[in-house]
Amino acid sequence: MCGIIGYAGHRPAVPLIVEGLRRLEYRGYDSAGVATVQNKEIDLVRAEGKLAALDEKLSHINVTNSTFGVGHTRWATHGVPVEKNAHPHLDHDKKIAMIHNGIIENYQEIKADLVTKGYEFRSDTDSEVLVNLIAEGRKHTETMLKAISWALNQVEGAYAIALVSVDEPGIVYAARVSSPLVMGVGVGENFVASDIPAFLPYTREVVFIEDGELVKITSSSWEVFRADTLEPVEKEVRTINWDVQAAQKGGHKHFMIKEIFEQPKVISDCLAGRIDTNNREVILSEIADMTPPERLHIIACGTSYHAGLWGKYLIEQWAKIPVDVEIASEFRYRDPILSKGGLALAISQSGETADTLAGIKLAKQKGLPILGLCNVVGSSVARESDYIMYTQAGPEISVASTKAMCSQLTALLLLALYWGKRKGTIDEETYSRAVKDLRNLPSILDAELPAMRLRAKELSREYSEASSFFYLGRGQYFPLALEGALKLKEISYIHAEGYAAGEMKHGPIALIDSNFPTFAMALKDDLFPKVKSNLVEVQARGGEIIALTNPGVELDVEHRWILPEVWGPLNAFMALPALQLFAYETADYLGKDVDQPRNLAKSVTVE
């Protein structure tokens, strides 16, 4: 998730833009850059690494006095994090400078067409393709506004862009589809940015830009149009009362709750370019030349390990590939027997987890190819892997992982479908239904999250004094029970244990009493009757139960938490945020440091 800012006003643009980027540092990034226009030329400065590297470069040059420009901090999606892939990007003739947050799904087809027209490319990014497409449009249209509209009508995917041109000094254009963009309205100056903190010291007057809208700002004016038709759009200016810290969190109290609510977008971003909606096909170009493995060894830690356990159920069911899920810190010290024809799948949010990297090294020594599944382009896992799938979750700031797991589940489900189709082991009805319903999942989840939070808040108040919790589940919900217990213990410090429900009778049931509540995964599936029997056993020992379930399910427990029923395995994407929200609301009510719980680090980079 990149940070972008555009400015048109009366102040020197470069220092203002750099300060705006600094206020977007919380988004995470691997390179940064700024572009301004003066004397009919674009001044472009970019640097790999954190913002300090850009500051260092700028300190050795005469910064232009231009009063308009654009700036960017990059969270890499296409191309490794090196300077040539940093933003802003210039068109072929160096007349337009553009910044971009998002993914252009059909960039390869557009690039191929532009190459035939003589365009040369200096980077590996989809963003450079878009700025050249706009430049091509400028050759055939009367204005830059029309050129941008012409180009955007041809692209598919998600984007928030901002650009400046040597032919139109003092003007910044911006547009969005499925990526954040907001406009700041000042006195003698106007702003566009991916988030409010970028310009908050200068104005609290804000215009929220919607999907499919195109913005034109100067120092003294702003206009909004429909990107496809250029029909003017009337917009309301709102006054924001947030401070800078609150603005970084989108008005939320903590990053964790912000990231929980970002999960619908995370699913959409992970699917982008990987599902052909018209043909209902899963397309994983990252592994197109890989033969489906004869056996899969998943190596991961913590939440990523739970995601791997969940993926095991689907990969074995649909792709008929036997799956071993290994805790990386144990795997690295074994002498595992890894047969020829196998594949190691390393899952890590950061791509820097020490035990997972050691597991990769061991698997390589045993002769296995490596498929990396991570969130950070250019990370150690990405570099050490033979194949890499990026989860596209964007930066996750809260130590307790939420949206990263959601993205991992999405990617694993896609893998199961893709391999199942390649091997001919998944029936066509299941395959088509999964692909179809995946596209609808983000909107269903987005609509349900506010109600989920209210229910979580109610239940957290009732059980905040509990000293221990059981989390029970069967089948695909067993890994979610493990994750629910982990979330509760790591941020609220309430002891919690996740169990396969059928294992409860093999010892843990001895702990059940009226002061030891159970959180059950009791959603409608083939294993529900078994779960129901386990819950009757809990009640017979005086234990109270919170049950995540679906409409129409017959279940007599103390607290039914009813979630909308979606198709099959997709119900996990409804249950996961409910578990996260219960942990969050409990920890917040108890006054804990939700985003930075004691003794924990975001990425475990040492043993």
Side-chain angles (χ1 to χ4, degrees):
M1 190 182 295
C2 308
I4 68 175
I5 180 172
Y7 174 73
H10 55 83
R11 309 172 199 265
V14 170
L16 184 148
I17 289 170
V18 171
E19 273 305 307
L21 295 178
R22 188 165 284 112
R23 284 186 290 274
L24 296 174
E25 281 187 294
Y26 72 93
R27 300 171 75 87
Y29 59 92
D30 50 58
S31 59
V34 60
T36 54
V37 178
Q38 190 154 295
N39 300 324
K40 287 285 186 177
E41 290 187 354
I42 293 176
D43 288 313
L44 174 68
V45 184
R46 304 182 295 182
E48 177 185 340
K50 298 295 184 183
L51 203 55
L54 181 63
D55 281 332
E56 174 67 16
K57 275 198 169 184
L58 289 169
S59 69
H60 294 294
I61 63 175
N62 292 321
V63 177
T64 129
N65 291 319
S66 172
T67 57
F68 75 108
V70 293
H72 189 273
T73 55
R74 180 174 186 249
W75 178 265
T77 53
H78 284 79
V80 296
V82 294
E83 185 174 324
K84 72 172 185 176
N85 292 327
H87 295 226
H89 285 287
L90 304 182
D91 72 299
H92 176 78
D93 295 323
K94 299 183 179 180
K95 291 185 176 182
I96 304 169
M98 189 194 79
I99 53 179
H100 169 221
N101 174 17
I103 301 170
I104 304 302
E105 296 179 21
N106 60 336
Y107 79 99
Q108 291 173 314
E109 303 96 289
I110 296 171
K111 184 175 183 178
D113 182 60
L114 290 172
V115 168
T116 65
K117 292 180 169 69
Y119 286 82
E120 295 180 358
F121 292 85
R122 310 176 186 95
S123 78
D124 305 316
T125 69
D126 55 333
S127 307
E128 188 185 8
V129 174
L130 178 53
V131 71
N132 276 300
L133 184 63
I134 293 170
E136 176 66 15
R138 189 66 184 89
K139 296 176 182 178
H140 309 295
T141 56
E142 300 89 349
T143 65
M144 180 60 69
L145 192 67
K146 290 183 177 179
I148 297 169
S149 175
W150 176 86
L152 295 183
N153 280 329
Q154 298 180 60
V155 300
E156 300 170 5
Y159 56 80
I161 62 168
L163 61 88
V164 292
S165 167
V166 297
D167 294 329
E168 299 195 20
I171 299 175
V172 177
Y173 294 96
R176 69 159 283 184
V177 167
S178 299
S179 284
L181 183 68
V182 64
M183 179 167 62
V185 179
V187 178
E189 56 189 354
N190 291 301
F191 310 77
V192 289
S194 53
D195 217 342
I196 292 170
F199 54 73
L200 196 56
Y202 304 101
T203 182
R204 293 177 181 271
E205 302 300 303
V206 171
V207 175
F208 292 100
I209 307 304
E210 303 297 333
D211 279 357
E213 293 181 345
L214 172 58
V215 178
K216 176 183 179 181
I217 63 170
T218 69
S219 61
S220 58
S221 66
W222 58 269
E223 298 172 274
V224 181
F225 309 88
R226 281 189 54 178
D228 55 351
T229 65
L230 295 182
E231 178 184 348
V233 178
E234 291 188 11
K235 303 294 288 188
E236 177 186 357
V237 179
R238 302 182 184 180
T239 301
I240 296 299
N241 295 318
W242 302 338
D243 59 20
V244 171
Q245 186 180 31
Q248 289 175 339
K249 298 169 184 172
H252 294 292
K253 187 175 182 180
H254 300 101
F255 280 111
M256 182 178 178
I257 188 64
K258 176 178 181 282
E259 288 159 6
I260 290 171
F261 272 75
E262 286 176 346
Q263 287 176 120
K265 184 179 184 302
V266 163
I267 297 169
S268 294
D269 288 349
C270 190
L271 296 179
R274 291 171 172 156
I275 284 191
D276 180 338
T277 306
N278 294 331
N279 298 314
R280 293 192 181 175
E281 288 284 339
V282 175
I283 303 169
L284 297 183
S285 57
E286 306 99 317
I287 59 170
D289 61 346
M290 176 202 293
T291 301
E294 296 176 14
R295 190 174 196 95
L296 185 65
H297 302 270
I298 297 178
I299 306 166
C301 301
T303 289
S304 297
Y305 170 71
H306 297 158
L309 285 173
W310 183 86
K312 171 186 172 77
Y313 287 89
L314 295 185
I315 293 169
E316 289 188 338
Q317 179 182 355
W318 290 344
K320 304 305 179 190
I321 297 171
V323 180
D324 301 312
V325 188
E326 308 276 5
I327 297 174
S329 57
E330 292 294 316
F331 177 81
R332 66 180 293 190
Y333 292 115
R334 287 180 23 227
D335 186 14
I337 299 171
L338 307 177
S339 58
K340 188 177 181 180
L343 173 73
L345 171 59
I347 307 177
S348 169
Q349 187 280 136
S350 66
E352 304 295 342
T353 310
D355 288 317
T356 304
L357 288 167
I360 289 175
K361 183 177 180 180
L362 176 58
K364 278 187 169 183
Q365 290 172 352
K366 296 282 186 176
L368 259 62
I370 311 297
L371 170 59
L373 182 63
C374 76
N375 192 35
V376 181
V377 173
S379 63
S380 296
V381 165
R383 295 195 305 272
E384 293 292 330
S385 297
D386 300 292
Y387 305 89
I388 185 70
M389 276 185 69
Y390 292 113
T391 57
Q392 314 290 14
E396 188 177 62
I397 309 302
S398 179
V399 167
S401 180
T402 53
K403 66 176 182 173
M405 183 176 184
C406 177
S407 69
Q408 290 166 356
L409 298 190
T410 307
L412 287 164
L413 189 147
L414 290 173
L415 271 175
L417 290 169
Y418 182 75
W419 280 334
K421 182 73 168 181
R422 287 275 301 270
K423 294 182 64 182
T425 53
I426 185 172
D427 65 88
E428 189 59 41
E429 181 181 352
T430 299
Y431 182 83
S432 297
R433 179 69 185 271
V435 173
K436 173 179 175 289
D437 285 16
L438 262 174
R439 298 297 289 183
N440 299 325
L441 182 63
S443 60
I444 297 171
L445 179 57
D446 190 51
E448 183 63 20
L449 278 169
M452 278 192 199
R453 186 179 185 185
L454 288 175
R455 185 63 171 143
K457 189 173 291 188
E458 292 170 0
L459 294 170
S460 68
R461 274 43 174 179
E462 185 155 349
Y463 288 98
S464 61
E465 295 184 5
S467 58
S468 292
F469 251 95
F470 265 147
Y471 281 72
L472 300 180
R474 282 180 180 259
Q476 66 157 329
Y477 299 115
F478 165 50
L480 296 188
L482 295 175
E483 178 64 15
L486 175 61
K487 283 293 156 284
L488 188 68
K489 72 179 88 174
E490 70 182 335
I491 63 172
S492 75
Y493 316 144
I494 294 173
H495 172 253
E497 294 294 336
Y499 267 90
E503 279 292 289
M504 183 185 59
K505 289 183 288 187
H506 295 274
I509 198 169
L511 295 170
I512 295 290
D513 62 25
S514 59
N515 297 314
F516 200 131
T518 294
F519 200 125
M521 309 287 102
L523 293 101
K524 188 188 297 183
D525 66 4
D526 293 342
L527 295 176
F528 170 73
K530 299 294 185 183
V531 174
K532 186 175 181 180
S533 296
N534 296 138
L535 298 186
V536 170
E537 292 164 347
V538 170
Q539 290 174 316
R541 276 82 181 167
E544 293 192 2
I545 297 169
I546 301 171
L548 279 181
T549 189
N550 297 123
V553 171
E554 293 184 9
L555 193 61
D556 183 15
V557 295
E558 284 71 23
H559 300 285
R560 287 161 51 93
W561 185 345
I562 298 176
L563 301 176
E565 183 180 2
V566 292
W567 176 79
L570 302 189
N571 282 289
F573 293 89
M574 308 301 290
L576 179 63
L579 295 167
Q580 296 164 346
L581 285 164
F582 178 73
Y584 170 80
E585 292 295 345
T586 302
D588 184 44
Y589 182 66
L590 292 172
K592 307 304 181 185
D593 188 346
V594 172
D595 283 334
Q596 295 181 314
R598 67 190 184 201
N599 305 329
L600 298 180
K602 182 61 182 169
S603 181
V604 182
T605 57
V606 294
E607 186 176 3

